[in-house]
mmCIF file of all heavy atoms in Angstrom:
data_model
loop_
_atom_site.group_PDB
_atom_site.id
_atom_site.type_symbol
_atom_site.label_atom_id
_atom_site.label_comp_id
_atom_site.label_asym_id
_atom_site.label_seq_id
_atom_site.Cartn_x
_atom_site.Cartn_y
_atom_site.Cartn_z
ATOM 1 N N VAL X 44 27.673 -5.867 -15.133
ATOM 2 C CA VAL X 44 27.168 -6.984 -15.941
ATOM 3 C C VAL X 44 27.252 -6.647 -17.429
ATOM 4 O O VAL X 44 27.650 -7.488 -18.253
ATOM 5 C CB VAL X 44 25.718 -7.330 -15.542
ATOM 6 C CG1 VAL X 44 25.117 -8.343 -16.504
ATOM 7 C CG2 VAL X 44 25.677 -7.876 -14.118
ATOM 8 N N ALA X 45 26.893 -5.415 -17.802
ATOM 9 C CA ALA X 45 26.974 -5.005 -19.209
ATOM 10 C C ALA X 45 28.408 -5.115 -19.715
ATOM 11 O O ALA X 45 28.654 -5.626 -20.820
ATOM 12 C CB ALA X 45 26.466 -3.576 -19.370
ATOM 13 N N TYR X 46 29.359 -4.650 -18.897
ATOM 14 C CA TYR X 46 30.773 -4.714 -19.292
ATOM 15 C C TYR X 46 31.227 -6.174 -19.408
ATOM 16 O O TYR X 46 31.941 -6.543 -20.344
ATOM 17 C CB TYR X 46 31.630 -3.970 -18.268
ATOM 18 C CG TYR X 46 33.093 -3.951 -18.598
ATOM 19 C CD1 TYR X 46 33.616 -3.000 -19.473
ATOM 20 C CD2 TYR X 46 33.969 -4.887 -18.041
ATOM 21 C CE1 TYR X 46 34.974 -2.982 -19.788
ATOM 22 C CE2 TYR X 46 35.321 -4.890 -18.348
ATOM 23 C CZ TYR X 46 35.814 -3.932 -19.215
ATOM 24 O OH TYR X 46 37.155 -3.923 -19.530
ATOM 25 N N GLY X 47 30.811 -6.991 -18.437
ATOM 26 C CA GLY X 47 31.213 -8.389 -18.461
ATOM 27 C C GLY X 47 30.685 -9.130 -19.678
ATOM 28 O O GLY X 47 31.419 -9.882 -20.339
ATOM 29 N N VAL X 48 29.410 -8.923 -20.004
ATOM 30 C CA VAL X 48 28.822 -9.597 -21.170
ATOM 31 C C VAL X 48 29.453 -9.089 -22.461
ATOM 32 O O VAL X 48 29.780 -9.867 -23.365
ATOM 33 C CB VAL X 48 27.292 -9.384 -21.203
ATOM 34 C CG1 VAL X 48 26.696 -9.914 -22.506
ATOM 35 C CG2 VAL X 48 26.635 -10.071 -20.010
ATOM 36 N N ALA X 49 29.653 -7.764 -22.553
ATOM 37 C CA ALA X 49 30.219 -7.181 -23.775
ATOM 38 C C ALA X 49 31.640 -7.660 -24.040
ATOM 39 O O ALA X 49 32.078 -7.706 -25.189
ATOM 40 C CB ALA X 49 30.202 -5.656 -23.686
ATOM 41 N N ASN X 50 32.360 -8.036 -22.986
ATOM 42 C CA ASN X 50 33.749 -8.472 -23.140
ATOM 43 C C ASN X 50 33.921 -9.980 -23.002
ATOM 44 O O ASN X 50 35.048 -10.465 -22.842
ATOM 45 C CB ASN X 50 34.629 -7.752 -22.112
ATOM 46 C CG ASN X 50 34.821 -6.285 -22.439
ATOM 47 O OD1 ASN X 50 35.685 -5.928 -23.238
ATOM 48 N ND2 ASN X 50 33.993 -5.434 -21.850
ATOM 49 N N THR X 51 32.809 -10.690 -23.052
ATOM 50 C CA THR X 51 32.853 -12.162 -23.038
ATOM 51 C C THR X 51 32.190 -12.675 -24.311
ATOM 52 O O THR X 51 30.957 -12.751 -24.394
ATOM 53 C CB THR X 51 32.117 -12.724 -21.799
ATOM 54 O OG1 THR X 51 32.627 -12.110 -20.611
ATOM 55 C CG2 THR X 51 32.295 -14.235 -21.706
ATOM 56 N N PRO X 52 32.985 -12.974 -25.351
ATOM 57 C CA PRO X 52 32.412 -13.363 -26.649
ATOM 58 C C PRO X 52 31.409 -14.502 -26.575
ATOM 59 O O PRO X 52 30.401 -14.497 -27.297
ATOM 60 C CB PRO X 52 33.650 -13.765 -27.462
ATOM 61 C CG PRO X 52 34.768 -12.967 -26.850
ATOM 62 C CD PRO X 52 34.447 -12.900 -25.384
ATOM 63 N N ALA X 53 31.654 -15.471 -25.687
ATOM 64 C CA ALA X 53 30.736 -16.607 -25.595
ATOM 65 C C ALA X 53 29.346 -16.147 -25.167
ATOM 66 O O ALA X 53 28.328 -16.582 -25.733
ATOM 67 C CB ALA X 53 31.288 -17.642 -24.616
ATOM 68 N N LEU X 54 29.281 -15.266 -24.156
ATOM 69 C CA LEU X 54 27.987 -14.749 -23.707
ATOM 70 C C LEU X 54 27.355 -13.849 -24.757
ATOM 71 O O LEU X 54 26.141 -13.909 -25.003
ATOM 72 C CB LEU X 54 28.154 -13.965 -22.397
ATOM 73 C CG LEU X 54 28.539 -14.771 -21.159
ATOM 74 C CD1 LEU X 54 28.773 -13.840 -19.971
ATOM 75 C CD2 LEU X 54 27.452 -15.784 -20.820
ATOM 76 N N LEU X 55 28.178 -13.029 -25.384
ATOM 77 C CA LEU X 55 27.666 -12.108 -26.402
ATOM 78 C C LEU X 55 27.065 -12.874 -27.575
ATOM 79 O O LEU X 55 26.009 -12.504 -28.104
ATOM 80 C CB LEU X 55 28.794 -11.195 -26.880
ATOM 81 C CG LEU X 55 28.392 -9.884 -27.541
ATOM 82 C CD1 LEU X 55 27.594 -9.010 -26.580
ATOM 83 C CD2 LEU X 55 29.628 -9.137 -28.027
ATOM 84 N N ASN X 56 27.719 -13.960 -27.961
ATOM 85 C CA ASN X 56 27.213 -14.767 -29.085
ATOM 86 C C ASN X 56 25.920 -15.493 -28.731
ATOM 87 O O ASN X 56 25.112 -15.808 -29.619
ATOM 88 C CB ASN X 56 28.269 -15.780 -29.527
ATOM 89 C CG ASN X 56 29.460 -15.107 -30.192
ATOM 90 O OD1 ASN X 56 29.327 -14.011 -30.744
ATOM 91 N ND2 ASN X 56 30.625 -15.744 -30.127
ATOM 92 N N LEU X 57 25.728 -15.793 -27.444
ATOM 93 C CA LEU X 57 24.476 -16.419 -27.029
ATOM 94 C C LEU X 57 23.298 -15.452 -27.128
ATOM 95 O O LEU X 57 22.166 -15.873 -27.375
ATOM 96 C CB LEU X 57 24.592 -16.922 -25.590
ATOM 97 C CG LEU X 57 25.397 -18.200 -25.349
ATOM 98 C CD1 LEU X 57 25.527 -18.460 -23.857
ATOM 99 C CD2 LEU X 57 24.734 -19.389 -26.044
ATOM 100 N N MET X 58 23.574 -14.165 -26.954
ATOM 101 C CA MET X 58 22.505 -13.171 -26.901
ATOM 102 C C MET X 58 22.277 -12.429 -28.213
ATOM 103 O O MET X 58 21.186 -11.933 -28.465
ATOM 104 C CB MET X 58 22.800 -12.154 -25.791
ATOM 105 C CG MET X 58 22.738 -12.745 -24.399
ATOM 106 S SD MET X 58 23.069 -11.505 -23.126
ATOM 107 C CE MET X 58 21.823 -10.291 -23.509
ATOM 108 N N TYR X 59 23.331 -12.349 -29.043
ATOM 109 C CA TYR X 59 23.206 -11.570 -30.280
ATOM 110 C C TYR X 59 23.858 -12.314 -31.434
ATOM 111 O O TYR X 59 24.796 -13.087 -31.257
ATOM 112 C CB TYR X 59 23.888 -10.193 -30.141
ATOM 113 C CG TYR X 59 23.318 -9.338 -29.044
ATOM 114 C CD1 TYR X 59 23.921 -9.291 -27.784
ATOM 115 C CD2 TYR X 59 22.182 -8.559 -29.251
ATOM 116 C CE1 TYR X 59 23.401 -8.510 -26.768
ATOM 117 C CE2 TYR X 59 21.656 -7.776 -28.244
ATOM 118 C CZ TYR X 59 22.273 -7.754 -27.004
ATOM 119 O OH TYR X 59 21.748 -6.989 -26.012
ATOM 120 N N HIS X 60 23.343 -12.050 -32.630
ATOM 121 C CA HIS X 60 24.026 -12.481 -33.839
ATOM 122 C C HIS X 60 24.095 -11.296 -34.797
ATOM 123 O O HIS X 60 23.268 -10.387 -34.738
ATOM 124 C CB HIS X 60 23.329 -13.679 -34.501
ATOM 125 C CG HIS X 60 21.925 -13.412 -34.918
ATOM 126 N ND1 HIS X 60 20.843 -13.640 -34.090
ATOM 127 C CD2 HIS X 60 21.412 -12.915 -36.081
ATOM 128 C CE1 HIS X 60 19.728 -13.301 -34.720
ATOM 129 N NE2 HIS X 60 20.047 -12.856 -35.932
ATOM 130 N N THR X 61 25.087 -11.306 -35.656
ATOM 131 C CA THR X 61 25.310 -10.184 -36.562
ATOM 132 C C THR X 61 24.557 -10.412 -37.866
ATOM 133 O O THR X 61 24.635 -11.482 -38.475
ATOM 134 C CB THR X 61 26.812 -10.015 -36.864
ATOM 135 O OG1 THR X 61 27.516 -9.843 -35.627
ATOM 136 C CG2 THR X 61 27.050 -8.815 -37.757
ATOM 137 N N VAL X 62 23.804 -9.392 -38.260
ATOM 138 C CA VAL X 62 23.060 -9.422 -39.525
ATOM 139 C C VAL X 62 23.652 -8.355 -40.435
ATOM 140 O O VAL X 62 23.808 -7.197 -40.038
ATOM 141 C CB VAL X 62 21.557 -9.148 -39.289
ATOM 142 C CG1 VAL X 62 20.812 -9.081 -40.620
ATOM 143 C CG2 VAL X 62 20.965 -10.229 -38.403
ATOM 144 N N MET X 63 23.996 -8.734 -41.649
ATOM 145 C CA MET X 63 24.578 -7.790 -42.596
ATOM 146 C C MET X 63 23.478 -6.950 -43.242
ATOM 147 O O MET X 63 22.455 -7.478 -43.697
ATOM 148 C CB MET X 63 25.374 -8.523 -43.673
ATOM 149 C CG MET X 63 26.543 -9.342 -43.133
ATOM 150 S SD MET X 63 27.659 -8.382 -42.056
ATOM 151 C CE MET X 63 28.251 -7.147 -43.231
ATOM 152 N N THR X 64 23.664 -5.640 -43.219
ATOM 153 C CA THR X 64 22.731 -4.711 -43.857
ATOM 154 C C THR X 64 23.498 -3.853 -44.859
ATOM 155 O O THR X 64 24.721 -3.981 -45.000
ATOM 156 C CB THR X 64 22.064 -3.795 -42.809
ATOM 157 O OG1 THR X 64 23.066 -2.966 -42.212
ATOM 158 C CG2 THR X 64 21.390 -4.613 -41.725
ATOM 159 N N SER X 65 22.771 -2.959 -45.539
ATOM 160 C CA SER X 65 23.421 -2.087 -46.510
ATOM 161 C C SER X 65 24.426 -1.153 -45.843
ATOM 162 O O SER X 65 25.380 -0.690 -46.470
ATOM 163 C CB SER X 65 22.371 -1.250 -47.257
ATOM 164 O OG SER X 65 21.590 -0.493 -46.342
ATOM 165 N N GLY X 66 24.212 -0.863 -44.569
ATOM 166 C CA GLY X 66 25.123 0.021 -43.839
ATOM 167 C C GLY X 66 26.211 -0.720 -43.090
ATOM 168 O O GLY X 66 26.985 -0.107 -42.364
#
Side-chain angles (χ1 to χ4, degrees):
V44 172
Y46 181 84
V48 172
N50 288 277
T51 307
L54 292 176
L55 201 61
N56 291 334
L57 284 174
M58 293 181 56
Y59 300 97
H60 60 270
T61 303
V62 176
M63 299 308 297
T64 65
S65 57

